[in-house]
């Protein structure tokens, strides 16, 4: 007798930067099996853990790795989870790095770059320098490769000149798609004008001539 055959598809889904599964259309494969028998994903299918230069792990818990072949509409779906690398790089620069004087205004530019492979959201900045005016980032969510920027200003004080330099650190905090904290920081040093410690003493007398016993 003649065995009845039918076609079925094997589909592959990979997590994107937001950890949402996206179908890899270029990997979809159509195969043929015998109706009523079990069709299964091959070892090669399960080993497709590299895609678009990213590394993944097969999620067998949500994948459909085998199925009884029907006359039509049978699909095996393999889901792969991204190996998450959530990281940001903070860069802080000043428009003046030396010779700062009392009452000078220093403008800092702070950039936060997403150097990982997942989206970072809920970005916020903090700065340890007392008296600094810190602006908000122009973006609070950045995809891999994107940057967010903020500016900050600071007015130089006499205490800064006495110390000879101004040190401060900007820190950016955010969250990856799983809600895990992501942080980064950078410091910038501005030197002041050279301190010149000097005093002038003036001595006067109530009588400068004709003094008698």
């Amino acid at each position: 007798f003649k065995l009845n055959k039918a076609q079925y598809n094997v589909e592959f889904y990979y997590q994107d930067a937001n950890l949402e599964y996206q179908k890899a259309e270029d990997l979809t494969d159509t195969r043929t099996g015998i109706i009523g028998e079990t069709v299964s994903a091959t070892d090669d299918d399960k080993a497709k853990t590299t895609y678009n230069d990213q590394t993944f792990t097969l999620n067998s818990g949500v994948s459909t790795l085998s199925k009884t072949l029907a006359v039509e509409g049978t699909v095996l779906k393999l889901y792969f989870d991204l190996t998450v690398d959530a990281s940001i790089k903070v860069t802080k620069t000043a428009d003046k790095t030396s010779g700062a004087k009392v009452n000078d205004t220093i403008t800092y530019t702070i950039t936060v770059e997403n150097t990982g492979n997942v989206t970072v959201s809920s970005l916020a900045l903090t700065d340890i320098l007392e008296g600094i005016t810190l602006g908000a980032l122009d973006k609070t969510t950045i995809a891999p490769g994107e940057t967010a920027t903020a500016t900050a200003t600071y007015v130089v004080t006499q205490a800064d000149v006495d110390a000879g330099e101004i040190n401060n650190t900007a820190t950016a905090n955010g969250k990856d798609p799983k809600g895990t904290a992501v942080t980064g920081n950078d410091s910038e040093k501005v030197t002041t004008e050279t301190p010149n410690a000097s005093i002038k003493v003036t001595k006067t007398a109530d009588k400068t001539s004709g003094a008698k016993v």
Side-chain angles (χ1 to χ4, degrees):
F1 64 94
K2 183 178 180 181
L3 296 176
N4 291 323
K5 295 183 178 181
Q7 290 185 329
Y8 64 99
N9 287 336
V10 181
E11 299 176 348
F12 300 82
Y13 294 80
Y14 294 87
Q15 285 183 333
D16 61 16
N18 295 313
L19 301 187
E20 296 176 353
Y21 290 109
Q22 303 295 335
K23 184 179 178 181
E25 298 286 355
D26 55 323
L27 296 183
T28 297
D29 191 23
T30 300
R31 301 170 188 174
T32 301
I34 298 173
I35 297 172
E37 293 192 357
T38 300
V39 290
S40 302
T42 66
D43 289 340
D44 285 343
D45 294 333
K46 299 173 187 178
K48 294 183 186 297
T49 54
T50 300
Y51 185 69
N52 286 343
D53 298 323
Q54 298 288 345
T55 303
F56 299 82
T57 301
L58 175 66
N59 188 331
S60 56
V62 298
S63 298
T64 305
L65 300 177
S66 62
K67 216 171 190 181
T68 300
L69 183 61
V71 175
E72 60 181 21
T74 300
V75 180
L76 302 181
K77 295 184 178 183
L78 285 76
Y79 292 90
F80 293 85
D81 293 347
L82 178 65
T83 301
V84 173
D85 173 23
S87 59
I88 54 177
K89 178 183 178 181
V90 178
T91 303
K92 183 173 187 178
T93 59
D95 64 345
K96 178 178 287 190
T97 58
S98 62
K101 301 177 182 179
V102 174
N103 293 325
D104 280 354
T105 297
I106 300 171
T107 300
Y108 295 94
T109 300
I110 304 160
T111 59
V112 182
E113 180 185 4
N114 186 337
T115 54
N117 64 357
V118 292
T119 299
V120 177
S121 59
S122 302
L123 276 173
L125 283 177
T126 58
D127 198 299
I128 63 172
L129 182 60
E130 185 177 351
I132 196 169
T133 300
L134 185 60
L137 289 163
D138 61 350
K139 300 175 188 174
T140 56
T141 298
I142 50 176
E146 288 186 339
T147 59
T149 305
T151 57
T153 56
Y154 177 73
V155 178
V156 180
T157 67
Q158 182 61 55
D160 297 324
V161 175
D162 292 345
E165 60 185 31
I166 305 162
N167 283 297
N168 68 312
T169 301
T171 300
N173 292 289
K175 294 180 179 180
D176 71 9
K178 292 183 177 180
T180 303
V182 184
T183 187
N185 61 68
D186 188 36
S187 299
E188 176 76 334
K189 182 173 77 172
V190 176
T191 58
T192 64
E193 62 180 346
T194 302
N196 181 18
S198 63
I199 58 174
K200 178 181 179 181
V201 178
T202 302
K203 185 176 182 178
T204 61
D206 62 348
K207 183 176 286 191
T208 60
S209 62
K212 299 178 181 179
V213 176

